């Protein structure tokens, strides 16, 4: 019987110890769910273990081929550039190693169900959804395609669920920020707002969302504002990662290239077309010396 490819999980990284441990625990749980698969996970930046160390662990376990899944909700710079470049570097480090690269998680229906559950946990059971406005808060990116994906998630969350509206904001790098998003909800007539972080695990940025929400609510006592929790290591998330793994193994990859700044000249981002990608520097990766990485043009060849 042919041994299936191993599973490599690629994460953002966080300075929050609890958030980093949530990722590592999630990877361990995936391994328990699929004891037939070697499973490892690493970060692009900020927290250990680095992605290169996770690949080296798989190699030590005899792995010669794997499928990599980015544990990310949207396809921004990490998923489009940093991870593909890092994987190409690992292939150079470990001759004979082969891999396929999966797509980010996206606003999958199962994750939308988890978000709906988080909203239900945050609101008073007596509230009519038609009187509730949701503010979905994403990480924020300099990539317009990634930011647009958060708006897509907001629209899909609104469809058929009866909320007064689902607005969108970002906690970093993109407008509108959280206070501006809350102000927009209020100007649209919202009297009950639930701020819903579009994040997988706890961390510095979700904590910042909650803090900014509390500050705005204290200054606007006439508006009832609640904060919902992050998605968390729910069964739906575990199932979805394994679904993305199976897609990658089958070669059924459907990355969005129609509005990618590395392929299409979008207004204000024309200089990014064809921009070579570099492996992201991780300070804990002993095998990488900053400034030494090989450039790899972002062709999305992994996606077709």
């Amino acid at each position: 019987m042919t041994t299936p490819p191993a599973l490599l999980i690629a994460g953002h990284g966080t300075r929050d110890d609890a958030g980093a441990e949530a990722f590592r625990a999630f990877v361990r749980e995936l391994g328990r769910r699929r004891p037939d698969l070697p499973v490892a996970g690493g970060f692009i930046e900020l927290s250990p273990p680095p992605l290169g160390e996770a690949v080296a662990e798989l190699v030590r376990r005899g792995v010669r081929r794997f499928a990599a899944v980015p544990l990310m909700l949207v396809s921004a710079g990490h998923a489009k550039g940093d991870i593909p470049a890092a994987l190409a570097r690992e292939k150079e480090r470990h001759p004979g190693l082969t891999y396929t690269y999966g797509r980010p998680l996206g606003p999958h229906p199962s994750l939308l169900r988890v978000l709906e559950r988080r909203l239900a946990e945050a609101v008073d059971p007596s509230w009519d959804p038609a009187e509730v406005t949701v503010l979905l808060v994403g990480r924020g990116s300099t990539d317009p395609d990634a930011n647009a994906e958060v708006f897509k998630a907001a629209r899909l969350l609104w469809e058929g669920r009866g909320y007064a509206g689902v607005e969108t904001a970002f906690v970093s790098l993109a407008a509108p920020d959280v206070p501006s998003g809350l102000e927009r909800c209020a100007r649209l007539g919202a009297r009950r707002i639930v701020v819903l972080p579009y994040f997988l695990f706890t961390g510095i940025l979700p904590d910042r969302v909650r803090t900014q929400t509390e500050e705005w609510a204290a200054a606007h006592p006439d508006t009832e504002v609640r904060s919902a929790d992050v998605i968390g290591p729910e069964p739906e998330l575990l199932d979805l990662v394994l679904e993305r793994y199976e897609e990658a193994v089958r070669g059924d990859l459907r990355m969005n290239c129609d509005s990618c700044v590395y392929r299409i000249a979008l207004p204000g981002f024309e200089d990014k077309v064809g921009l070579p990608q570099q492996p992201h520097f991780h300070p804990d990766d002993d095998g990488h010396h900053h400034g030494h990485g090989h450039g790899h043009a972002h062709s999305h060849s992994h996606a077709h």
Side-chain angles (χ1 to χ4, degrees):
M1 188 169 114
T2 305
T3 303
L7 170 57
L8 175 69
I9 305 297
H12 275 288
T14 173
R15 292 185 178 88
D16 181 78
D17 291 340
E21 180 52 32
F23 171 91
R24 293 187 288 262
F26 185 81
V27 172
R28 292 192 294 269
E29 180 58 28
L30 281 168
R32 284 190 286 269
R33 275 196 167 213
R34 287 293 300 269
D36 58 314
L37 289 181
V39 179
F43 295 104
I44 289 297
E45 60 180 353
L46 301 176
S47 42
L51 195 62
E53 184 177 308
V55 173
E57 174 192 334
L58 291 176
V59 171
R60 287 193 296 271
R61 294 164 68 180
V63 168
R64 304 310 295 161
R65 59 195 184 110
F66 65 86
V69 175
L71 196 67
M72 298 168 187
L73 289 166
V74 301
S75 187
H78 281 317
K80 290 180 178 178
D82 295 330
I83 297 173
L87 294 176
R89 180 189 65 204
E90 294 311 312
K91 189 175 180 180
E92 292 178 359
R93 286 180 175 175
H94 305 283
L97 191 65
T98 62
Y99 65 88
T100 56
Y101 182 41
R103 58 178 171 145
L105 305 175
H108 192 278
S110 62
L111 292 189
L112 295 173
R113 288 194 294 272
V114 178
L115 291 174
E116 187 175 16
R117 199 154 67 234
R118 294 292 176 256
L119 289 172
E121 293 165 356
V123 303
D124 189 303
S126 67
W127 288 6
D128 181 351
E131 298 176 349
V132 175
T133 298
V134 178
L135 182 64
L136 184 70
V137 181
R139 176 181 296 269
S141 172
T142 56
D143 186 332
D145 182 43
N147 295 331
E149 283 292 301
V150 182
F151 276 82
K152 179 179 180 180
R155 178 69 195 194
L156 290 172
L157 182 62
W158 179 81
E159 291 280 355
R161 290 180 172 84
Y163 300 117
V166 180
E167 296 296 317
T168 309
F170 302 96
V171 72
S172 66
L173 299 175
D177 59 15
V178 175
S180 298
L182 285 163
E183 190 64 32
R184 174 176 171 80
C185 292
R187 287 175 177 268
L188 289 171
R191 289 293 172 264
R192 288 172 171 167
I193 304 171
V194 179
V195 176
L196 178 62
Y198 194 43
F199 286 82
L200 294 175
F201 303 126
T202 57
I204 290 174
L205 293 182
D207 288 347
R208 187 181 301 166
V209 173
R210 186 176 289 268
T211 298
Q212 291 179 352
T213 298
E214 292 171 351
E215 291 172 351
W216 189 91
H220 299 79
D222 293 338
T223 305
E224 191 161 6
V225 183
R226 301 279 181 92
S227 288
D229 287 331
V230 296
I231 291 171
E234 295 293 287
E236 291 94 338
L237 181 58
L238 289 156
D239 290 342
L240 178 54
V241 170
L242 291 172
E243 182 179 324
R244 291 288 185 257
Y245 163 80
E246 296 292 348
E247 287 177 359
V249 170
R250 294 194 308 266
D252 179 22
L253 303 177
R254 291 163 282 177
M255 182 172 282
N256 174 29
C257 296
D258 293 334
S259 54
C260 174
V261 291
Y262 300 111
R263 293 176 66 94
I264 306 298
L266 298 180
F269 297 87
E270 293 86 351
D271 61 325
K272 290 185 177 292
V273 176
L275 192 68
Q277 300 299 298
Q278 301 284 349
H280 202 92
F281 174 65
H282 194 298
D284 295 328
D285 188 345
D286 294 334
H288 176 57
H289 302 288
H290 202 195
H292 172 71
H294 300 281
H296 298 277
H298 184 88
S299 65
H300 279 200
S301 60
H302 55 269
H304 299 295

